[in-house]
């Protein structure tokens, strides 16, 4: 119950910052065009520093073992989500099927998930969250990219994975953690301060995205609501079932909870980017991101409460 309370409180805090980003954008204090630059700062600087900072702690063999379990559980949960999506959407008759499939498969783990995990599980939780995102990015830039691009190009996927800063921050963090490399305060402090920008910057960007989206034109599109149903309800329940089974194998409860929460987040923000890049409906993609994000304010605390009772 306490964990669900923390989740609810954190979601409300995040909502307030989202509203601020929305209002400032509508007042033209923040430019709509700035979301790309801010997103780059988040992805290439803030999130990597946040991950590295989470590994600057006393060595604990159990954490490394749990990180290994995180990779395994993340792989299983994400694979089940992919399989369900491919089956569920077979009968969909729309040119936007690839981007709909992508939206169902991939959650907004970095934007919405990391702030929640940081609030609920602190630095150790971020270590496991970085493990999930590493597996997530492998799925996204291989299976996900092939689906939206309608091509099998492993070379492009591998290049994208190797360009992803989360991978390198994870490697650097593990090296620092495993070898207990002392980091001078003059370096550690900027890393910590920049990493702490994750929650406010993520939510401000979300507010800008909402302010710049034309969601009203797609509200009658049945595929919008089927996507949201799958992403916010069905796939989390599939993840919940698999995690309940995995809970019998002596896996740390926090690992299972963290993977579940990240898998239950709303539609990934990058969905809108791929919709534009590959000529799908950008309004539909934006609506899937925005509406699922708003509804996750209700679903995430409820699922957190549920996983707390089960695990």
């Amino acid at each position: 119950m306490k964990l669900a309370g923390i989740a609810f409180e954190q979601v409300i805090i995040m909502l307030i910052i989202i509203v601020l980003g929305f209002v400032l954008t509508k007042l033209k204090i923040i430019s709509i065009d700035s979301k790309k630059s801010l997103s780059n700062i988040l992805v290439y600087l803030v999130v990597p520093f946040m991950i590295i900072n989470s590994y600057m702690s006393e060595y604990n063999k159990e954490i490394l073992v749990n990180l290994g379990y995180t990779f395994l559980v993340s792989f299983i949960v994400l694979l089940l989500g992919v399989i369900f999506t491919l089956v569920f959407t077979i009968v969909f008759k729309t040119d936007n099927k690839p981007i709909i499939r992508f939206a169902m498969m991939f959650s907004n783990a970095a934007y919405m998930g990391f702030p929640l995990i940081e609030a609920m599980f602190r630095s150790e939780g971020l270590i496991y969250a970085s493990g999930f995102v590493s597996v997530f990015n492998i799925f996204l830039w291989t299976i996900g990219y092939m689906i939206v691009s309608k091509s099998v190009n492993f070379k492009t996927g591998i290049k994208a994975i190797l360009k992803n800063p989360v991978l390198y921050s994870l490697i650097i963090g593990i090296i620092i953690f495993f070898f207990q490399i002392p980091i001078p305060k003059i370096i550690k402090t900027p890393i910590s301060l920049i990493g702490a920008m994750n929650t406010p910057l993520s939510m401000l960007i979300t507010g800008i995205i909402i302010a710049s989206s034309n969601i009203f034109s797609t509200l009658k599109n049945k595929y919008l609501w089927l996507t949201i149903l799958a992403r916010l309800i069905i796939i989390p329940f599939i993840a919940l079932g698999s995690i309940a089974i995995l809970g019998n194998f002596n896996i740390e409860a926090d690992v299972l909870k963290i993977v579940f929460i990240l898998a239950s987040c709303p539609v990934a923000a990058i969905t809108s980017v791929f919709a534009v890049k590959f000529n799908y409906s950008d309004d539909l993609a934006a609506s899937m991101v925005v509406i699922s994000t708003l509804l996750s304010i209700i679903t995430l605390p409820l699922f957190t409460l549920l996983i707390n009772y089960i695990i």
Side-chain angles (χ1 to χ4, degrees):
M1 189 71 180
K2 183 180 178 181
L3 199 63
I6 295 172
F8 180 75
E9 181 181 290
Q10 184 63 20
V11 167
I12 296 301
I13 291 170
M14 289 159 61
L15 176 61
I16 291 170
I17 303 174
I18 289 172
V19 170
L20 289 172
F22 176 87
V23 171
L24 290 174
T25 304
K26 286 297 185 182
L27 293 175
K28 298 185 178 180
I29 295 172
I30 296 178
S31 167
I32 290 175
D33 295 333
S34 66
K35 65 184 176 183
K36 184 175 181 180
S37 297
L38 292 175
S39 294
N40 285 338
I41 292 172
L42 181 72
V43 171
Y44 291 99
L45 183 65
V46 176
V47 170
F49 275 24
M50 180 186 67
I51 291 172
I52 292 171
N53 185 62
S54 69
Y55 281 89
M56 293 182 187
S57 57
E58 188 176 343
Y59 176 76
N60 185 330
K61 183 180 178 181
E62 186 178 346
I63 290 178
L64 283 180
V65 172
N66 288 337
L67 183 61
Y69 279 128
T70 303
F71 291 135
L72 175 62
V73 176
S74 301
F75 177 83
I76 293 171
V77 168
L78 288 166
L79 181 61
L80 289 173
V82 168
I83 293 171
F84 162 77
T85 298
L86 293 176
V87 173
F88 183 63
T89 57
I90 285 176
V91 296
F92 285 19
K93 299 185 185 301
T94 170
D95 292 338
N96 289 302
K97 183 191 284 191
I99 201 67
I100 289 170
R101 282 179 160 172
F102 185 89
M104 289 183 184
M105 290 176 185
F106 298 105
S107 67
N108 209 353
Y111 282 85
M112 289 291 291
F114 270 33
L116 275 175
I117 298 305
E118 185 177 21
M120 291 188 285
F121 300 96
R122 304 304 173 190
S123 59
E124 186 175 330
L126 288 175
I127 291 175
Y128 306 143
S130 69
F132 174 89
V133 171
S134 297
V135 179
F136 175 93
N137 279 321
I138 292 171
F139 271 79
L140 190 152
W141 290 107
T142 52
I143 295 172
Y145 191 85
M146 285 187 286
I147 286 172
V148 292
S149 65
K150 299 179 183 178
S151 65
V152 180
N153 192 333
F154 285 103
K155 187 176 180 181
T156 301
I158 296 301
K159 280 183 178 180
I161 292 168
L162 293 176
K163 287 180 181 179
N164 196 293
V166 171
L167 173 65
Y168 298 103
S169 58
L170 176 66
I171 293 170
I172 292 169
I174 290 175
I175 291 172
I176 291 172
F177 179 75
F178 187 81
F179 293 102
Q180 289 293 282
I181 299 172
I183 307 298
K185 185 178 179 181
I186 197 169
I187 295 176
K188 186 175 182 178
T189 300
I191 291 175
S192 177
L193 289 172
I194 293 172
M197 293 168 58
N198 180 63
T199 299
L201 187 56
S202 297
M203 296 308 102
L204 283 174
I205 293 169
T206 302
I208 297 170
I209 291 171
I210 293 173
S212 60
S213 301
N214 180 19
I215 64 173
F216 295 105
S217 63
T218 61
L219 291 180
K220 292 183 180 180
N221 189 323
K222 67 178 181 180
Y223 295 113
L224 166 67
W225 300 106
L226 287 171
T227 301
I228 291 171
L229 175 66
R231 175 90 296 274
L232 293 185
I233 305 295
I234 301 176
I235 289 177
F237 269 114
I238 292 171
L240 187 66
S242 62
I243 281 172
I245 294 171
L246 291 168
N248 297 315
F249 292 91
N250 200 31
I251 299 174
E252 173 67 36
D254 281 357
V255 168
L256 297 173
K257 290 176 182 178
I258 287 166
V259 171
F260 173 72
I261 291 168
L262 293 174
S264 303
C265 285
V267 174
I270 198 174
T271 304
S272 296
V273 176
F274 280 157
V276 174
K277 182 177 176 66
F278 295 108
N279 299 313
Y280 300 110
S281 170
D282 51 341
D283 283 340
L284 176 61
S287 296
M288 292 189 294
V289 173
V290 170
I291 295 175
S292 66
T293 298
L294 293 173
L295 291 177
S296 71
I297 294 166
I298 300 170
T299 60
L300 280 174
L302 289 176
F303 274 122
T304 303
L305 179 63
L306 189 56
I307 191 69
N308 212 32
Y309 276 116
I310 292 176
I311 302 298

